[in-house]
Amino acid sequence: MSNLTFPIFFGSGGHRRRTSGQLESSFRTELRRISVSPKSKIKFSPTSETERLIKREMAAAETTRRKAEELVEKAMKGNDSSHDASHVWRVRDLALSLAREEGLSSNSDSMEVVELAALLHDIGDYKYIRDPSEAKIVENFLDEEGVDEAKKMKILKIINGMGFKDELAGLTLCQSLPEFGVVQDADRLDAIGAIGIARCFTFGGSRNRVLHDPEIKPRTELTKEQYMKREEQTTINHFHEKLLKLKLLMKTEAGRRRAEKRHEFMEDYLKEFYEEWDGRA
């Protein structure tokens, strides 16, 4: 059975939870595809034993996904709305969509890694961590759920290496993982465009940051240490120090295509912002 390559994780389609009927329908559609497709790795008649084994695997994966969603809601409950559960649902949906565009949907293991990494990526975020023990929440969860060791290590590598601060430090330890690119791009897409603008001001407001001060210039040569340091900065400067740079840092073709429109929207917004700030509009 290890050579079967049908996707267990099909994405939420804009909804957080999927019903058993939706899973059953997806399963049967994919089963028929594998049975008849000339490009399939294997061909077989869907025997009742095969169906039972596949259903057990799907049920276990679905249980882990559901528990991951519950963990997200619990762990991120106290966060401001720039980094709340809704952010995670959007990143999950984006990541699965990018994965399909990048050709990963034929591999169930890859799709499972993508979905779990996207769901768990912000748990233990240094910006919100309240206790050092929170840094181990994700690893402990994967162990408790009995996630395959190879998958677990991929998920943890993606989560630990996808931050902007790590890119500033020149860390590229995850670049060889195809799943890494789609999850990181999904998170970064949610940081730009209309949603990104809303999140930026929400976060700045939660930290009582100055909206804009022409006397405080954006930091041009930003290091990891400076980025993580909670020194006085303005919300508008965050666009120049990070958000406007993300388009060129996308790892996938699908991510780059989507980033174009969102990037242009931010540029137009900032042009209008400065004109209104200076009384020219």
Side-chain angles (χ1 to χ4, degrees):
M1 292 301 298
S2 60
N3 290 327
L4 293 179
T5 57
F6 56 90
I8 291 175
F9 287 71
F10 292 88
S12 61
H15 301 285
R16 187 168 68 81
R17 300 190 185 282
R18 287 160 289 179
T19 66
S20 58
Q22 289 172 321
L23 286 169
E24 179 71 14
S25 175
S26 296
F27 157 71
R28 292 197 175 280
T29 298
E30 188 62 20
L31 193 61
R32 286 194 297 272
R33 186 191 68 76
I34 294 173
S35 301
V36 302
S37 172
K39 295 182 179 180
S40 304
K41 289 188 176 181
I42 62 171
K43 297 180 181 180
F44 63 95
S45 298
T47 64
S48 57
E49 180 58 33
T50 298
E51 288 196 15
R52 281 195 294 270
L53 180 57
I54 293 174
K55 285 181 178 180
R56 282 199 297 271
E57 292 175 349
M58 288 181 65
E62 173 66 9
T63 297
T64 298
R65 183 194 63 79
R66 177 177 51 78
K67 288 184 178 180
E69 290 176 339
E70 292 171 354
L71 179 61
V72 167
E73 291 181 325
K74 179 181 178 181
M76 304 182 71
K77 187 176 182 180
N79 291 5
D80 64 82
S81 57
S82 70
H83 292 79
D84 61 359
S86 292
H87 161 65
V88 172
W89 311 146
R90 292 192 302 271
V91 171
R92 184 263 302 277
D93 291 347
L94 276 168
L96 290 172
S97 178
L98 293 176
R100 286 189 285 269
E101 290 184 42
E102 291 292 309
L104 299 184
S105 60
S106 62
N107 188 311
S108 62
D109 287 346
S110 285
M111 295 301 279
E112 183 176 2
V113 166
V114 166
E115 184 158 22
L116 287 177
L119 283 171
L120 303 171
H121 81 277
D122 261 347
I123 295 177
D125 186 335
Y126 77 96
K127 297 186 296 295
Y128 295 90
I129 202 164
R130 292 167 283 269
D131 184 279
S133 64
E134 294 179 25
K136 299 286 287 183
I137 290 178
V138 172
E139 184 174 357
N140 291 340
F141 169 79
L142 296 174
D143 286 336
E144 290 167 5
E145 288 302 305
V147 174
D148 175 78
E149 186 67 18
K151 291 179 187 176
K152 184 187 85 170
M153 294 310 297
K154 277 188 177 183
I155 292 167
L156 292 176
K157 282 184 178 180
I158 291 170
I159 292 172
N160 293 330
M162 63 186 282
F164 184 67
K165 65 183 186 303
D166 300 303
E167 195 128 15
L168 289 173
L171 300 178
T172 57
L173 66 164
C174 295
Q175 300 287 1
S176 61
L177 299 178
E179 300 89 354
F180 170 78
V182 297
V183 178
Q184 186 186 61
D185 282 4
D187 187 42
R188 290 179 170 181
L189 285 171
D190 203 57
I192 61 178
I195 291 288
I197 292 171
R199 291 182 63 215
C200 184
F201 286 112
T202 297
F203 182 78
S206 74
R207 302 302 165 99
N208 294 315
R209 283 183 177 170
V210 174
L211 184 64
H212 175 50
D213 183 344
E215 298 301 315
I216 302 177
K217 305 301 181 184
R219 296 166 293 184
T220 54
E221 298 297 328
L222 199 59
T223 66
K224 177 181 178 180
E225 291 70 29
Q226 288 174 321
Y227 178 75
M228 295 178 68
K229 195 175 180 182
R230 296 176 180 177
E231 61 185 40
E232 186 64 28
Q233 256 313 320
T234 70
T235 296
I236 283 294
N237 280 356
H238 189 62
F239 285 88
H240 300 284
E241 294 179 350
K242 177 182 178 181
L243 305 187
L244 291 172
K245 297 178 180 180
L246 295 182
K247 183 185 77 168
L248 297 179
L249 295 177
M250 293 290 164
K251 302 300 185 300
T252 67
E253 286 297 327
R256 283 189 281 272
R257 285 194 299 270
R258 297 198 191 193
E260 286 288 342
K261 179 181 178 181
R262 297 189 185 215
H263 182 87
E264 290 176 8
F265 188 90
M266 288 194 303
E267 288 184 321
D268 291 341
Y269 172 81
L270 288 172
K271 179 181 178 182
E272 178 68 18
F273 179 93
Y274 290 127
E275 288 181 355
E276 292 183 13
W277 186 273
D278 294 336
R280 293 181 285 116

